Every structure is written in structure tokens, then in C-alpha cells.
Amino acid sequence: MTKIMIDAGHGPDTAGKRSPDGALREFSFNSAVADLVKQYLIEEGVTVIFAHKEQEDVPLAARTKLANNMKVDAFVSIHANAFGGDWNNANGIETFIYPTASKESYALAALIQNSLVSACNRTDRGVKKADYAVLRDTRMPAVLLECGFMTNREEALLLMKKTYRIQCAKAIAFAITAWIYRGKK
Ligand SMILES: [Zn+2]
């Protein structure tokens, strides 16, 4: 059976990870979407394991170690973006993979990015490469998604809305399911 690790980035009290007015904490978005993705994937018969905990900011090394020990088939880290610490016009959705990521990682990233952009109708910032620990230290396809900017007034409002969280989660779960059934497993 396919096992997917879903990672809600950061923790409930992680410093700085919030909108400029403090109304939105990044973890509240990340973890709400993770809960929904889990629900949708279970309906598809996929096993879901969380890398995060609701009460604490699990260190990145513990998250990647758990993924490697559990031998999950993919690691999907959910985030909301920020550009600087004040309101500005940076906007849209982007997905990251490791610079030397496998074709399977890229395929998963492209499916999620396209699915999110079309479901959420936001600017497509594309699939990008970055040396992030959760991408580098995981021994399976790994992607990190940024579902909109907390530093953009319009997107911060969206990120707080249940309807937007459901849109994101459905798009992510749809893409993961498509990736699983494209012959990977
Ligand atoms: Zn983040």
C-alpha cells in the first residue's frame, strides 16, 4: 500500500511565521490543509503519516528521519509563503524540489503545482529548485509547496478561508493520487 508523508511546515508558535498583522499563523493554514489532504487521501485508499505535531515545532531532522525510517513513498510539505515582513504585491503559488531531484520528484511537483494553480486560480510561479532540508535529507520523492503569500493582503485573506483551504487540499490530494496511479506504484 502506498504511504505518503504529509508535513505541515513549522509549529503552532514558530516565531515570524505569520501575516504582517498577526491575524494568520502559517501553521494554522498548513495543518488545516494537512488534515484535509489526509482525509481525501484516506478515501483513495492511501496511507497517510504526519511529519508534524499540533503542539510543537518538530525539528526538521526528526521529520526527515521519520520519513526515511517509515520508507514512505513520497514526502509532501505544505506551506504558505512570505516575501519580507510587510504587506507587498508578491503573489501566487510555487512548488520546490531539490536541485538534483529525481524525475519522480519533478513529476509529483509538476502535478501538484498545476493542480493547485488551476483549482485556486492564482499566479503560476512554477516548479523551482531549492536546497531545503526536507527536500535534501529525504530518500524518496519530496516536494515543498507554497500555497500563497501571507504578505499579500488578498492572499492572506484567502489563506484564512475554509473554502480556500479545501480547494488547496483537494488539488493536492488529486495530484498525489494521479502521481501514485501514473505507474509509480
Ligand atoms: Zn513555511
Side-chain angles (χ1 to χ4, degrees):
M1 189 188 277
T2 307
K3 285 184 288 190
I4 303 292
M5 183 158 282
I6 300 294
D7 175 45
H10 318 292
D13 299 315
T14 309
K17 301 291 180 182
R18 56 198 70 192
S19 59
D21 60 2
L24 169 64
R25 290 192 182 202
E26 186 186 340
F27 185 76
S28 73
F29 172 82
N30 300 345
S31 98
V33 174
D35 286 347
L36 291 164
V37 170
K38 180 177 184 176
Q39 182 188 318
Y40 299 140
L41 285 178
I42 286 171
E43 287 168 10
E44 299 292 334
V46 177
T47 300
V48 175
I49 300 149
F50 279 167
H52 60 284
K53 291 182 182 161
E54 286 300 320
Q55 303 80 8
E56 60 182 284
D57 189 347
V58 178
L60 297 179
R63 299 183 196 224
T64 56
K65 189 177 172 194
L66 181 65
N68 293 336
N69 288 347
M70 301 282 303
K71 294 188 165 54
V72 297
D73 296 285
F75 185 97
V76 177
S77 189
I78 299 168
H79 290 254
N81 225 334
F83 182 74
D86 270 314
W87 298 114
N88 57 70
N89 290 328
N91 69 92
I93 291 169
E94 57 195 12
T95 300
F96 289 92
I97 54 175
Y98 192 63
T100 57
S102 64
K103 281 200 175 80
E104 288 77 19
S105 276
Y106 180 78
L108 179 59
L111 279 165
I112 293 178
Q113 174 68 17
N114 294 339
S115 181
L116 273 174
V117 166
S118 61
C120 300
N121 198 25
R122 307 305 308 167
T123 302
D124 184 0
R125 300 171 67 92
V127 174
K128 299 180 176 178
K129 294 181 174 178
D131 181 16
Y132 293 151
V134 294
L135 304 178
R136 182 183 61 237
D137 299 333
T138 38
R139 295 197 289 267
M140 69 285 305
V143 302
L144 185 149
L145 356 159
E146 299 280 7
C147 302
F149 280 78
M150 296 185 291
T151 45
N152 179 287
R153 286 184 191 275
E154 183 190 353
E155 292 192 349
L157 284 175
L158 282 175
L159 291 161
M160 284 189 279
K161 281 200 174 125
K162 177 88 179 177
T163 47
Y164 187 76
R165 293 174 176 187
I166 291 170
Q167 275 177 337
C168 289
K170 281 189 174 163
I172 294 163
F174 173 83
I176 292 171
T177 307
W179 178 78
I180 291 168
Y181 291 111
R182 72 190 268 283
K184 170 68 180 63
K185 274 282 179 295

